[in-house]
Amino acid sequence: MQAVVLAAGKGTRLRPLTEDKPKVLVEVNGTPLVEDVFDNLIDAGASELVVVVGYKAEQIIDRYGDEYRDTPITYAHQREQLGLAHAILQAEPHVDGDFMLMLGDNVFRGNLGDVASRQQEDRADAAFLVEEVPYEEASRYGVLDTNEYGEVVEVVEKPDDPPSNLVMTGFYTFTPAIFHACHLVQPSDRGEYELPDAIDLLIQSGRTIDAVQLDGWRIDVGYPEDRDRAEERLDEAVAVGAADAGDTAEPTDTTDPVEEAEEPVDS
């Protein structure tokens, strides 16, 4: 399955970290955001990376070229940043069949492969990795409502009165039907072509969209303090991994063989 990475943003809220680089090249523990995204997608089974670039695109292209971890990279250019639905349309000429989609500014440690597997089921037209957040924070995100079968029945972008506390995380799988929906989207009040509006069109057309609960964690790196939080979480994960490795290590035999040999023998 191909994977589309949205990496065109300027990252104005991340300044001063983005004064001389695109948002997705901001490093978290020494690794650029987009590189962590590439690793996650390849581990989830991506056969090709289609990277939508825009602001300071040449830095991304020069750094990664046409291949990463033996996985081919194709670049699509978003000349103006007009929203996520508009960005997705720039990838349309390069996508053939179902595909994964990830925002280039998210740090994930979770079950992305489960979403990709759900997409391969005949009944699913799309699948989203979702998580629950406190209700007071839900209005910062695209909020979902689901039915008793775990299917998405409504998506609202940053609502004042959220219908639930279940939010989109920035990882999705789609059929090519999403492109048609994106073409139909009209500009929002802020002048952008919004992905939730395209998703709503899929729902209205009777498409089945599954919600897959995040098993793990993710951080949307929108501000410098988010980068700091992501580094803390990664450091914690390394520490836990090291502790687990220590617990399972083989016990060391501390007996001195010379002392053993010198023990008196009963006569």
Side-chain angles (χ1 to χ4, degrees):
M1 189 185 300
Q2 292 173 287
V4 174
V5 179
L6 303 186
K10 292 182 178 179
T12 54
R13 294 176 301 175
L14 265 173
R15 290 176 180 165
L17 301 176
T18 53
E19 287 180 348
D20 60 348
K21 63 172 69 72
K23 181 178 187 179
V24 298
L25 289 185
V26 170
E27 294 187 354
V28 176
N29 273 8
T31 300
L33 285 165
V34 75
E35 192 167 315
D36 191 71
V37 167
F38 289 171
D39 285 332
N40 271 309
L41 290 170
I42 292 169
D43 291 345
S47 58
E48 178 186 359
L49 302 169
V50 179
V51 184
V52 180
V53 294
Y55 177 68
K56 295 188 181 296
E58 69 283 354
Q59 292 189 23
I60 300 171
I61 296 170
D62 290 346
R63 180 163 188 147
Y64 296 105
D66 58 6
E67 185 180 83
Y68 178 79
R69 280 179 54 187
D70 299 323
T71 303
I73 300 177
T74 299
Y75 296 96
H77 293 264
Q78 186 184 27
R79 307 296 178 186
E80 296 180 86
Q81 278 68 65
L82 296 177
L84 295 184
H86 180 265
I88 291 169
L89 286 176
Q90 312 317 304
E92 182 179 13
H94 309 287
V95 173
D96 180 20
D98 293 6
F99 65 98
M100 295 180 270
L101 173 72
M102 185 181 283
L103 308 187
D105 55 1
N106 278 247
V107 178
F108 275 95
R109 293 297 180 269
N111 52 324
L112 277 64
D114 291 347
V115 184
S117 297
R118 187 71 61 88
Q119 182 66 35
Q120 294 170 343
E121 298 177 5
D122 291 339
R123 57 175 294 281
D125 296 295
F128 302 162
L129 194 61
V130 303
E131 67 175 337
E132 293 183 352
V133 300
Y135 268 97
E136 59 271 19
E137 296 180 13
S139 60
R140 297 171 47 192
Y141 304 98
V143 179
L144 309 171
D145 201 6
T146 59
N147 61 21
E148 64 270 28
Y149 306 110
E151 298 168 349
V152 179
V153 297
E154 183 183 18
V155 178
V156 187
E157 178 68 7
K158 299 178 180 178
D160 292 330
D161 185 18
S164 77
N165 66 332
L166 198 63
V167 303
M168 296 190 289
T169 63
F171 180 67
Y172 320 78
T173 57
F174 291 106
T175 69
I178 190 62
F179 295 122
H180 180 62
C182 288
H183 279 292
L184 296 176
V185 168
Q186 299 300 307
S188 65
D189 291 341
R190 59 180 184 167
E192 294 191 355
Y193 297 85
E194 309 283 3
L195 177 57
D197 291 344
I199 294 169
D200 189 52
L201 290 173
L202 290 182
I203 295 169
Q204 292 180 33
S205 69
R207 306 278 180 170
T208 299
I209 301 175
D210 284 347
V212 178
Q213 188 75 34
L214 173 64
D215 181 11
W217 59 269
R218 68 103 189 193
I219 293 177
D220 173 9
V221 182
Y223 295 90
E225 55 266 31
D226 295 326
R227 195 272 299 265
D228 297 340
R229 285 198 304 124
E231 291 188 334
E232 289 173 3
R233 290 300 298 267
L234 291 172
D235 288 342
E236 289 171 4
V238 170
V240 169
D244 289 345
D247 290 342
T248 58
E250 290 291 331
T252 302
D253 184 359
T254 58
T255 304
D256 188 331
V258 175
E259 290 180 358
E260 274 194 346
E262 292 177 349
E263 286 183 8
V265 179
D266 291 337
S267 55

